[in-house]
């Protein structure tokens, strides 16, 4: 929590409709949460529940039909230098090598790349020596690690992650979750992490925000009181399994049919 | 952190070193393989060429085919060497027409493609005319152009421009129409302007198709240049084809065709190389 007790990120009554070719889609309905400074928050929900819609709005990439997003008390209406995003699949530019991909945000902002910071991050995620490789030469996990370095290289205070490990195999996914925890414990950045994997959410989060199916609403909030650092054995711990079971039971799988 | 780190390495054997070695081995193995394959391919290509041309030479001599029906390969090469002072300048004229016409056509085509694909309505309105230009043989316009502009470079350059520009445009437009929303969102999330998104995302993404367009456009330009030269005027390789065939100087005639083939293949190889360099990420 910041000095004045104000949350890092506030989502107030977020509602969003999409106009598509086949009609109007009600993606988000009166969604409100507060994420505290330095918190690792997971947004969990079934596919198509509006998680990504919400995250893109947090990033200032698109607007809301009504409601407001605030970062440090100030409304977010366009992309903000304090916010960096990690996308589904790594979303590296295939025509640039790894280091050129990481330097993209600096290029866009007309700044000189922070070489020391980039080198330290590359070392931390184990990509030192791969700078000149093209994305297609890297494994899925390596690509996603590069995209995490890209997001962190500009030292944002809020990191948004949109189902970043959904396309990875289970082993790589565990590895990536450990890496996220490690980076988070070192930097204490505020992270909002989207996933539809309950175990992943419980493993990572301080709090898990469960969303209901379309239109996306906040269903429940779970505090995860597991001690840190959490290691992979925790997946077997009774309390972990209990939490996963409780969250599973709270997810409403039936999408509400509602005329919009 | 250290303990997490160690654990990570223990649990996942292919974390760092193994991965590095894999990629390294893979690329070095691949490059060795391609060199070996390359030299074997070259040998095969050369052997085939020797059989084709040697066989033609042999058969033409064996059956004593007169040179005005079909000259032997050696006669063609000999004609190219001895008559090069007469043929050489015409190569230059044709290349100038091609280069100037193609440069104008390709530039206009590229810019038009980049602009109109940003406005779907404009694209719908303009598309039929572009299609008309692509499908109509521009050679048909050459007599008209000659009436208006005379027998100089101008009508030919206009014909080359009209033949190559729309080809470049239609392919480049396909490239520019490919939109990857996630990549554009990525650039926007770092604060990119519309122009930056265009320069850093849309253009590189369109590049493979643009290069295909340039290749096809330049070949069409070459065909049109030669055709236009055959229709009228007194210079250029196309004109020489008409000239030598009217004199039944077949070795010289085929020497010009040989030159045209070399130009065409050079264009192809050049754009193949450009594609490898600038668009190899897509394959």
């Amino acid at each position: 929590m910041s000095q004045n007790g104000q949350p890092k990120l506030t989502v107030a009554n977020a509602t969003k409709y999409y106009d598509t070719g086949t009609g109007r889609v009600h993606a988000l309905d009166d969604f409100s949460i507060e994420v505290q400074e330095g918190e690792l928050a997971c947004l969990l929900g079934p596919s198509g529940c509006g998680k990504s819609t919400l995250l893109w709005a947090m990033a200032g990439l698109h607007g809301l039909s009504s409601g407001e997003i605030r970062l440090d008390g100030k409304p977010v209406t366009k992309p903000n230098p304090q916010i960096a995003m990690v996308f589904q699949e790594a979303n590296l530019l295939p025509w640039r090598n790894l280091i050129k991909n990481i330097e993209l945000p600096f290029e866009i902002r007309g700044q000189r790349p922070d070489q020391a910071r980039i080198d330290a991050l590359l070392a931390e995620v184990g990509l030192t020596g791969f700078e000149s490789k093209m994305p297609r030469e890297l494994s899925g996990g390596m690509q996603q690690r590069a995209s995490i370095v890209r997001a962190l290289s500009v030292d944002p205070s809020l990191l948004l992650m949109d189902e970043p490990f959904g396309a990875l195999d289970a082993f790589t996914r565990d590895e990536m979750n450990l890496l996220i925890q490690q980076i988070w414990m070192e930097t204490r950045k505020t992270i909002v992490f989207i996933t539809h994997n309950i175990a992943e959410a419980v493993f990572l989060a301080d709090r898990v925000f469960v969303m209901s199916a379309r239109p996306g609403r906040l269903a429940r909030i779970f505090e995860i009181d597991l001690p840190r650092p959490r290691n992979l054995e925790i997946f077997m711990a009774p309390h972990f399994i209990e939490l996963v079971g409780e969250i599973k039971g709270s997810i409403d799988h039936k999408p509400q049919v509602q005329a919009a | 952190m250290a303990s997490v780190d160690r654990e990570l390495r223990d649990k996942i054997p292919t974390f760092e070193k193994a991965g590095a070695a894999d990629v390294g081995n893979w690329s070095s193995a691949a490059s060795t393989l391609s060199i070996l394959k390359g030299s074997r391919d070259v040998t095969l290509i050369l052997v085939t060429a020797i059989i084709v041309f040697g066989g033609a030479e042999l058969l033409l001599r064996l059956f004593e085919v007169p040179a005005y029906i079909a000259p032997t390969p050696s006669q063609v090469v000999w004609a190219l060497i001895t008559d090069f002072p007469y043929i050489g300048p015409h190569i230059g004229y044709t290349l100038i027409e091609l280069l100037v016409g193609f440069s104008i056509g390709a530039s206009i085509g590229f810019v038009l493609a980049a602009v109109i694909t940003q406005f779907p309505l404009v694209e719908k309105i303009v598309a039929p005319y572009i299609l008309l230009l692509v499908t109509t043989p521009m050679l048909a316009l050459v007599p008209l152009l000659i009436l208006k502009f005379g027998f100089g470079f101008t009508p030919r350059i206009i014909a080359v421009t009209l033949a190559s520009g729309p080809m470049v445009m239609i392919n480049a437009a396909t490239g520019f129409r490919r939109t990857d929303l996630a990549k554009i969102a990525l650039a926007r999330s770092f604060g990119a302007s519309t122009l930056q998104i265009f320069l850093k995302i849309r253009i590189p993404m369109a590049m493979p198709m643009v290069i295909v367009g340039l290749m096809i456009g330049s070949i069409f330009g070459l065909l049109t240049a030669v055709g236009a030269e055959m229709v009228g005027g007194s210079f250029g390789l196309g004109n020489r084809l008409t000239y030598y065939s009217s004199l039944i100087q077949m070795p010289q005639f085929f020497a010009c065709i040989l030159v045209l083939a070399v130009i065409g293949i050079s264009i192809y190889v050049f754009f193949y190389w450009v594609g490898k360099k600038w668009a190899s990420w897509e394959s």
Side-chain angles (χ1 to χ4, degrees):
Chain A
M1 200 164 299
S2 56
Q3 286 89 349
N4 51 11
Q6 150 185 294
K8 178 74 187 169
L9 179 76
T10 308
V11 179
N13 312 105
T15 301
K16 172 106 182 159
Y17 298 96
Y18 278 119
D19 284 317
T20 68
T22 51
R24 214 163 193 219
V25 175
H26 193 176
L28 272 177
D29 185 47
D30 197 27
F31 190 98
S32 299
I33 58 169
E34 288 182 347
V35 178
Q36 305 305 324
E37 174 105 46
E39 185 175 9
L40 206 172
C42 279
L43 283 174
L44 176 75
S47 293
C49 75
K51 305 184 293 279
S52 290
T53 304
L54 180 61
L55 202 77
W56 282 46
M58 288 177 184
L61 288 170
H62 59 203
L64 295 165
S65 304
S66 68
E68 194 174 51
I69 312 264
R70 288 190 293 273
L71 181 75
D72 296 318
K74 295 182 199 76
V76 175
T77 53
K78 59 181 198 316
N80 182 317
Q82 285 302 311
I83 304 173
M85 190 151 162
V86 173
F87 290 80
Q88 284 175 16
E89 289 159 11
N91 204 12
L92 298 177
L93 305 181
W95 54 86
R96 285 168 173 249
N97 67 18
L98 188 145
I99 194 72
K100 290 274 172 221
N101 261 293
I102 291 168
E103 287 171 357
L104 178 75
F106 295 95
E107 236 178 87
I108 287 172
R109 292 173 190 177
Q111 298 165 350
R112 190 197 269 241
D114 186 342
Q115 210 53 57
R117 188 176 168 80
I118 291 172
D119 288 345
L121 285 165
L122 283 175
E124 174 151 27
V125 304
L127 282 177
T128 307
F130 288 92
E131 286 86 346
S132 60
K133 294 280 180 219
M134 299 303 279
R136 65 170 186 281
E137 298 176 289
L138 303 172
S139 69
M142 289 164 110
Q143 291 188 25
Q144 197 51 280
R145 277 184 265 158
S147 89
I148 292 168
V149 171
R150 175 174 62 191
L152 289 172
S153 66
V154 292
D155 201 13
S157 63
L158 173 64
L159 186 62
L160 303 175
M161 306 185 81
D162 186 5
E163 287 187 48
F165 311 139
L168 301 179
D169 63 83
F171 296 106
T172 314
R173 195 174 189 139
D174 287 346
E175 179 191 306
M176 299 302 294
N177 285 333
L178 285 167
L179 183 67
I180 290 300
Q181 174 178 250
Q182 175 190 324
I183 288 171
W184 175 77
M185 288 181 77
E186 281 167 18
T187 61
R188 288 290 164 174
K189 294 201 180 300
T190 311
I191 298 180
V192 177
F193 188 105
I194 280 190
T195 180
H196 54 229
N197 183 316
I198 300 174
E200 180 173 73
V202 173
F203 178 81
L204 284 172
D206 291 327
R207 281 191 296 167
V208 175
F209 297 91
V210 178
M211 291 177 76
S212 67
R214 182 163 283 168
R217 289 199 181 95
L218 180 60
R220 273 187 71 178
I221 302 174
F222 290 88
E223 303 262 351
I224 309 298
D225 50 2
L226 298 164
R228 290 191 194 266
R230 299 170 189 165
N231 56 35
L232 295 178
E233 271 94 71
I234 211 166
F235 283 100
M236 303 298 175
H239 187 43
F240 182 93
I241 293 165
E242 195 181 305
L243 278 167
V244 170
E246 202 180 327
I247 292 175
K248 198 167 223 157
S250 75
I251 291 179
D252 169 21
H253 285 283
K254 295 184 293 292
Q256 296 176 25
V257 182
Q258 179 185 320
Chain B
M1 182 216 149
S3 73
V4 175
D5 221 34
R6 200 173 317 114
E7 215 172 320
L8 210 106
R9 253 156 264 228
D10 288 347
K11 288 238 170 349
I12 297 116
T14 55
F15 185 54
E16 220 168 68
K17 292 269 161 50
D22 275 347
V23 174
N25 282 343
W26 180 83
S27 59
S28 71
S31 65
T32 325
L33 200 75
S34 77
I35 288 165
L36 275 177
K37 210 175 136 223
S39 73
R40 197 195 62 197
D41 287 2
V42 167
T43 317
L44 274 173
I45 290 166
L46 285 177
V47 167
T48 312
I50 289 167
I51 292 172
V52 169
F53 291 107
E57 181 85 34
L58 208 72
L59 288 174
L60 289 171
R61 282 177 188 278
L62 204 68
F63 293 101
E64 292 172 346
V65 180
Y68 63 82
I69 293 179
T72 66
S74 65
Q75 285 172 322
V76 172
V77 172
W78 186 242
L80 181 61
I81 295 166
T82 53
D83 282 32
F84 195 79
Y86 308 107
I87 297 173
H90 296 279
I91 301 176
Y93 301 141
T94 301
L95 285 180
I96 288 171
E97 291 157 15
L98 176 60
L99 218 70
V100 176
F102 174 68
S103 303
I104 299 171
S107 311
I108 295 174
F110 177 82
V111 172
L112 266 182
V115 173
I116 68 159
T117 44
Q118 304 310 303
F119 307 101
L121 180 65
V122 178
E123 200 185 342
K124 274 185 201 137
I125 295 170
V126 175
Y129 301 98
I130 302 301
L131 212 63
L132 199 74
L133 284 175
V134 168
T135 50
T136 310
M138 285 306 141
L139 268 181
L141 289 183
V142 171
L144 192 72
L145 291 170
I146 289 177
L147 273 181
K148 179 104 181 90
F149 298 101
F151 290 102
F153 278 114
T154 317
R156 300 164 175 195
I157 289 175
I158 292 174
V160 172
T161 303
L162 287 174
S164 57
M167 260 328 154
V168 173
M169 192 195 143
I170 210 161
N171 282 285
T174 309
F176 281 113
R177 233 177 276 123
R178 300 198 298 197
T179 42
D180 187 332
L181 282 179
K183 291 189 172 50
I184 291 167
L186 168 81
R188 279 189 55 217
S189 79
F190 291 121
S193 64
T194 311
L195 180 67
Q196 282 178 318
I197 288 172
F198 205 79
L199 294 176
K200 295 189 190 301
I201 309 289
R202 286 191 195 271
I203 287 186
M205 206 140 75
M207 225 39 208
M209 284 311 294
V210 170
I211 291 168
V212 168
L214 291 174
M215 186 192 274
I216 300 175
S218 55
I219 299 282
F220 265 70
L222 177 64
L223 300 182
T224 307
V226 173
E229 288 163 351
M230 292 176 89
V231 174
S234 56
F235 59 91
L237 284 172
N239 168 263
R240 286 300 95 179
L241 288 176
T242 331
Y243 172 78
Y244 286 127
S245 68
S246 69
L247 297 179
I248 324 183
Q249 291 191 345
M250 285 303 133
Q252 285 78 0
F253 178 87
F254 277 99
C256 291
I257 290 194
L258 182 63
V259 170
L260 286 171
V262 169
I263 295 173
I265 290 171
S266 306
I267 292 172
Y268 178 83
V269 169
F270 173 72
F271 283 111
Y272 181 79
W273 173 79
V274 169
K276 262 221 136 62
K277 200 156 168 53
W278 296 102
S280 63
W281 54 272
E282 191 186 60
S283 54

